[in-house]
């Protein structure tokens, strides 16, 4: 084991492709951007497996391991392993380095190879590289299995909804409908101000839209605000257990999740809050219904192609929602509760695996040795 610089184990190459250049290109070779696979085109730039790093804009420093006979667009940097370096080992070494710390630029952040090429890297011999890669790959494979299990359970909930109620917008079962405004005791917009987030656990939480996922909130990633600001942000409505948060603007749009606990929490930006009247509409039912693609399409009202699509609170109030009998909704809510128990078990396993993965990355690349 020895310490070297990143520039000692790889070389950099650049791409001249912009995403707009790909419109007329079709073929069999994949090309990737900051968010992953874009499409297949008729040429490729790399004939062996390689590492790519996002170097411009959102997601800078994100590291990808990409296959032979593929390419990336210009917002990514190719990192090509030198002789004696396993490509997958280079990937893990770069990933563990968190290259985003080298960013410059306020409006559009960048990282440059000339800066991060001096990043210290732990380098093992060839056999040891293969050993490290095999261990980390096994852990990542199990992590991916757990994530797929969670997705399958979420799909199971959606399938059960369709089985019991059909599509909530098409209403092929001819259920009675009412406007959301009449089946909720309140529908309120978020405060139009940026929260003053703090690392201190003040006991007063605030929900960013980034932690609102379909039918659940990532409470482990919650952030805090000062007490006085919390009271300002709940003037319209204090979010309570059973209320639904719905994201209405920006990159994360049209996602509903139920608040599943009693706590002091406020809305961040770009979201709204719905309080279902449980005598008409259960929150478990409404949350799943609002996450259907058909619901989002109708809520957008035909402006989904806009540069900055958004959903108006007034449109949601006027949205006609199907209302099956409460007894059926209660059956569905019980099914969701049972499925959530399985999800919690899988999530606990996933959390433990991700903690193990971080520990192994620290062990192999953080200087502690094997």
């Amino acid at each position: 084991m020895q310490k070297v610089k990143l520039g000692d184990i790889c070389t950099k190459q650049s791409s001249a492709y912009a995403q707009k250049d790909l419109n007329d290109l079709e073929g069999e070779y994949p090309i990737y951007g900051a968010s992953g696979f874009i499409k297949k085109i008729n040429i490729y730039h790399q004939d062996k497996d390689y590492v790519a790093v996002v170097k411009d804009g959102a997601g800078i420093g994100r590291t990808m391991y990409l296959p032979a006979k593929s390419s990336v667009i210009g917002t990514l940097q190719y990192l090509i392993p030198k002789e004696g370096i396993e490509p997958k080992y280079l990937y893990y070494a770069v990933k563990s380095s968190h290259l985003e710390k080298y960013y410059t630029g306020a409006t559009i952040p960048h990282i440059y190879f000339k800066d991060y090429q001096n990043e210290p890297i732990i380098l093992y011999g060839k056999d040891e590289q293969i050993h490290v890669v095999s261990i980390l790959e096994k852990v990542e494979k199990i992590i991916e299995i757990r994530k797929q299990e969670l997705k399958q359970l979420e799909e199971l909930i959606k399938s059960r909804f369709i089985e019991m109620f059909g599509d909530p917008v098409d209403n092929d079962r001819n259920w009675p409908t009412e406007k959301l405004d009449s089946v909720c005791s309140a529908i309120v917009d978020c405060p139009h101000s940026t929260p003053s987030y703090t690392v201190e656990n003040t006991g007063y939480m605030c929900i960013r839209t980034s932690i609102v996922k379909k039918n659940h909130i990532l409470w482990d990633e919650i952030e805090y605000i000062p007490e006085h600001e919390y009271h300002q942000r709940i003037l319209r409505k204090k979010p309570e257990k059973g209320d639904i948060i719905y994201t209405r603007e920006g990159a994360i749009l049209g996602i509903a999740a139920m608040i599943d606990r009693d706590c002091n929490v406020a809305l961040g930006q770009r979201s709204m809050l719905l309080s279902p009247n449980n005598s008409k509409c259960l929150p478990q039912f409404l949350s799943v219904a609002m996450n259907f693609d058909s619901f989002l399409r109708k809520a957008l009202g035909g402006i989904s192609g806009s540069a900055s699509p958004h959903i108006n609170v007034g449109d949601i109030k006027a949205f006609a929602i199907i209302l099956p009998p409460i007894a059926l909704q209660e059956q569905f809510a019980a099914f969701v509760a049972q499925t959530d128990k399985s999800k919690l078990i899988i999530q606990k396993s996933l959390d433990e695996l991700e903690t193990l993965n971080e520990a192994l990355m620290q062990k192999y690349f953080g200087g502690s040795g094997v």
Side-chain angles (χ1 to χ4, degrees):
M1 180 183 75
Q2 58 179 317
K3 276 195 174 182
V4 299
K5 296 177 180 178
L6 179 57
D8 295 330
I9 64 173
C10 68
T11 59
K12 64 102 173 176
Q13 295 180 17
S14 299
S15 170
Y17 276 124
Q19 186 147 351
K20 61 181 178 62
D21 300 327
L22 309 180
N23 294 337
D24 298 325
L25 299 180
E26 301 292 340
E28 58 181 305
Y29 305 113
I31 186 165
Y32 299 87
S35 299
F37 174 78
I38 298 175
K39 63 180 296 186
K40 290 186 176 182
I41 60 175
N42 56 349
I43 59 174
Y44 61 86
H45 281 184
Q46 302 298 332
D47 56 7
K48 295 180 180 180
D49 291 1
Y50 61 96
V51 176
V53 175
V54 179
K55 66 183 181 69
D56 294 313
I60 58 165
R62 185 183 301 134
T63 307
M64 305 179 193
Y65 183 77
L66 296 177
K69 297 185 178 180
S70 68
S71 309
V72 299
I73 62 174
T75 55
L76 282 79
Q77 182 86 67
Y78 295 109
L79 295 182
I80 311 300
K82 290 185 177 180
E83 186 176 353
I85 306 300
E86 286 291 309
K88 199 67 176 282
Y89 182 83
L90 174 63
Y91 163 73
Y92 287 124
V94 174
K95 186 178 179 182
S96 71
S97 298
H98 297 286
L99 299 183
E100 63 272 13
K101 65 192 174 191
Y102 289 96
Y103 86 93
T104 60
T107 306
I108 302 178
H110 309 270
I111 55 173
Y112 298 100
F113 186 77
K114 66 181 178 62
D115 296 324
Y116 66 76
Q117 67 176 336
N118 295 317
E119 171 72 16
I121 296 292
I122 301 295
L123 179 62
Y124 300 91
K126 187 79 168 179
D127 291 343
E128 291 167 302
Q129 290 179 39
I130 294 171
H131 173 69
V132 169
V133 166
S134 68
I135 291 174
L136 293 174
E137 281 183 328
K138 287 175 183 176
V139 176
E140 282 195 342
K141 183 176 181 180
I142 301 172
I143 287 174
E144 186 56 34
I145 289 171
R146 294 291 177 269
K147 288 180 177 179
Q148 288 301 318
E149 289 172 346
L150 288 174
K151 287 182 181 178
Q152 288 167 2
L153 285 174
E154 197 61 52
E155 285 299 315
L156 183 62
I157 290 173
K158 182 178 178 180
S159 296
R160 181 63 171 159
F161 186 101
I162 293 172
E163 178 185 323
M164 293 183 69
F165 310 116
D167 186 282
V169 175
D170 295 342
N171 193 15
D172 50 351
R173 308 286 178 87
N174 293 316
W175 300 110
T177 64
E178 282 191 43
K179 293 180 180 179
L180 274 173
D181 197 28
S182 68
V183 300
C184 292
S185 59
I187 300 177
V188 299
D189 199 2
C190 63
H192 292 184
S193 60
T194 304
S196 302
Y197 292 108
T198 174
V199 295
E200 178 189 357
N201 183 345
T202 63
Y204 298 93
M205 301 180 286
C206 193
I207 298 181
R208 289 185 188 267
T209 55
S210 59
I211 69 167
V212 180
K213 305 302 178 183
K214 289 187 175 182
N215 303 314
H216 70 282
I217 296 167
L218 301 180
W219 294 103
D220 289 345
E221 298 180 21
I222 199 73
E223 295 178 82
Y224 297 90
I225 55 176
E227 180 180 359
H228 73 275
E229 183 168 350
Y230 164 77
H231 290 293
Q232 290 175 348
R233 301 191 75 85
I234 65 168
L235 288 175
R236 294 177 182 172
K237 170 75 171 66
K238 180 184 184 296
E240 298 174 306
K241 183 178 180 180
D243 286 351
I244 292 173
I245 293 177
Y246 191 58
T247 62
R248 62 166 184 78
E249 188 178 345
I252 303 171
L253 175 72
I255 298 176
M258 185 184 76
I259 297 175
D260 61 0
R261 60 197 66 189
D262 293 310
C263 56
N264 293 321
V265 67
L267 297 185
Q269 290 183 291
R270 304 178 183 89
S271 60
M272 66 180 79
L273 189 73
L274 299 90
S275 297
N277 180 341
N278 286 358
S279 66
K280 291 185 174 183
C281 183
L282 296 183
Q284 297 88 342
F285 169 84
L286 183 57
S287 178
V288 175
M290 293 181 74
N291 280 315
F292 270 73
D293 291 343
S294 55
F295 189 101
L296 177 58
R297 284 194 299 270
K298 186 175 178 181
L300 285 169
I303 63 165
S304 57
S306 167
S308 181
H310 62 278
I311 299 169
N312 295 316
V313 174
D315 292 337
I316 290 300
K317 288 182 176 181
F319 200 106
I321 188 70
I322 62 171
L323 287 180
I326 281 293
L328 277 183
Q329 293 187 43
E330 288 173 343
Q331 290 180 29
F332 178 73
F335 178 81
V336 171
Q338 189 61 43
T339 306
D340 282 347
K341 290 180 182 178
S342 298
K343 288 165 68 176
L344 282 174
I345 294 170
I346 295 171
Q347 186 63 56
K348 182 181 178 182
S349 172
L350 178 59
D351 292 342
E352 291 170 349
L353 286 164
E354 289 180 335
T355 298
L356 172 62
N357 191 50
E358 290 175 8
L360 288 170
M361 293 287 275
Q362 177 65 25
K363 175 181 178 180
Y364 295 127
F365 301 106
S368 59
V370 179

